[in-house]
Amino acid sequence: MAEWITGKVTKVTNWTDSLFSITLNAPVAPFTAGQFAKLALEVDGERVQRAYSYVNAPGDDNLEFYLVTVPDGKLSPRLFALTPGDEVMITKEAAGFFVLEEVPECETLWMLATGTAIGPYLSILQESKDLDRFNNIVLVHAARFAADLSYLPMMQQLQQRYNGKLHIQTVVSREEVAGSLTGRVPALIESGQLEAAVGLKMDADTSHIMLCGNPQMVRDTQQLLKDSRQMRKHLRRKPGHMTSEHYW
């Protein structure tokens, strides 16, 4: 059974009408960048819980989570309504295997995310541990509209910090925006547009692909890379080229 502890909200950032970040302080156990915790509130006598990835680096006392409000959801609208000083329950121990130690060495590490699934990558990149074994890192954040690219300023700061090693590319599916590609991630890979924009190849010899986000994007991209690039899922017992996590 998970051990629940109480966290105190220190900040709520409303990015759009439906996207927000919540920051809290709680005595959680040490975690690995890329992992998630569960947040919960009591609703009508029931503990309603959902899993959310840490955005902050391990060691940062400000525990940050990036969320989307589901209009009819039991939990997210209530989390959206929280204000500094409010309390929320959080699991003391983090979980999940979407971490760098599960990723094999390669020349180029591709980090592909849709929506709020950018979170685990930001945690990994802010910590900057175990990244020296990759020559290039590509961070791709796909969203519906440019306004949904909440963490673009942080991504740009990280890009400067990594001094040419980190390449960032935004993708917007429902409007055309300067600097962003337009469309869905699988289609942009299939057409070669993503690789052309970044200036790096995505192939089985040099690349590992981390996929996090919308389950349809993850499935479609995996199938495309399997069919057209001879890539396979990475397993401990059988090393491969793709590591994935679904965000519902």
Side-chain angles (χ1 to χ4, degrees):
M1 293 287 289
E3 180 182 351
W4 291 91
I5 56 176
T6 300
K8 183 158 286 189
V9 177
T10 59
K11 183 181 179 183
V12 178
T13 304
N14 295 326
W15 301 105
T16 68
D17 289 343
S18 60
L19 291 168
F20 68 104
S21 297
I22 184 170
T23 305
L24 53 96
N25 290 146
V28 297
F31 68 92
T32 303
Q35 289 191 306
F36 62 85
K38 289 184 179 179
L39 302 182
L41 292 171
E42 292 285 341
V43 180
D44 299 326
E46 174 193 0
R47 178 184 290 160
V48 180
Q49 61 185 29
R50 298 288 184 272
Y52 300 106
S53 293
Y54 283 103
V55 174
N56 59 289
D60 187 342
D61 291 336
N62 295 307
L63 310 178
E64 186 173 355
F65 303 91
Y66 184 35
L67 291 73
V68 60
T69 306
V70 180
D72 298 324
K74 279 189 173 184
L75 184 62
S76 59
R78 289 174 169 83
L79 292 174
F80 185 74
L82 292 176
T83 58
D86 288 340
E87 293 184 343
V88 60
M89 288 176 283
I90 180 172
T91 48
K92 185 173 183 177
E93 302 282 346
F97 298 98
F98 197 70
V99 296
L100 278 187
E101 62 190 58
E102 297 291 334
V103 174
E105 289 190 25
C106 64
E107 187 174 315
T108 302
L109 177 63
W110 293 79
M111 298 175 161
L112 309 184
T114 57
T116 56
I118 191 71
Y121 298 131
L122 297 176
S123 180
I124 290 167
L125 290 167
Q126 286 184 93
E127 185 183 38
S128 69
K129 179 183 175 184
D130 200 28
L131 289 171
D132 53 355
R133 56 197 178 99
F134 309 110
N135 293 336
N136 299 291
I137 303 165
V138 182
L139 178 61
V140 178
H141 189 198
R144 293 178 305 164
F145 301 101
D148 299 334
L149 300 169
S150 310
Y151 283 91
L152 182 56
M154 179 187 285
M155 291 165 61
Q156 292 168 333
Q157 289 171 3
L158 286 166
Q159 187 177 34
Q160 292 180 344
R161 187 170 119 193
Y162 279 89
N163 198 26
K165 181 172 184 171
L166 174 64
H167 309 260
I168 63 172
Q169 181 62 54
T170 53
V171 176
V172 178
S173 62
R174 299 193 183 179
E175 62 180 344
E176 293 193 10
V177 183
S180 292
L181 294 174
T182 306
R184 293 185 67 242
V185 170
L188 293 169
I189 294 172
E190 187 172 24
S191 67
Q193 286 177 268
L194 180 57
E195 290 158 284
V198 174
L200 291 166
K201 288 286 186 185
M202 184 184 289
D203 58 39
D205 292 332
T206 64
S207 306
H208 191 89
I209 320 299
M210 295 181 77
L211 293 157
C212 192
N214 179 283
Q216 194 64 54
M217 182 280 287
V218 172
R219 285 192 295 267
D220 290 350
T221 303
Q222 286 177 328
Q223 192 63 50
L224 172 69
L225 293 175
K226 179 183 175 183
D227 294 343
S228 65
R229 313 285 174 104
Q230 290 73 56
M231 291 183 168
R232 61 179 180 272
K233 287 184 183 180
H234 177 67
L235 303 170
R236 281 181 177 175
R237 63 184 183 275
K238 189 177 181 182
H241 317 95
M242 298 181 285
T243 301
S244 66
E245 183 152 279
H246 291 184
Y247 260 51
W248 296 94

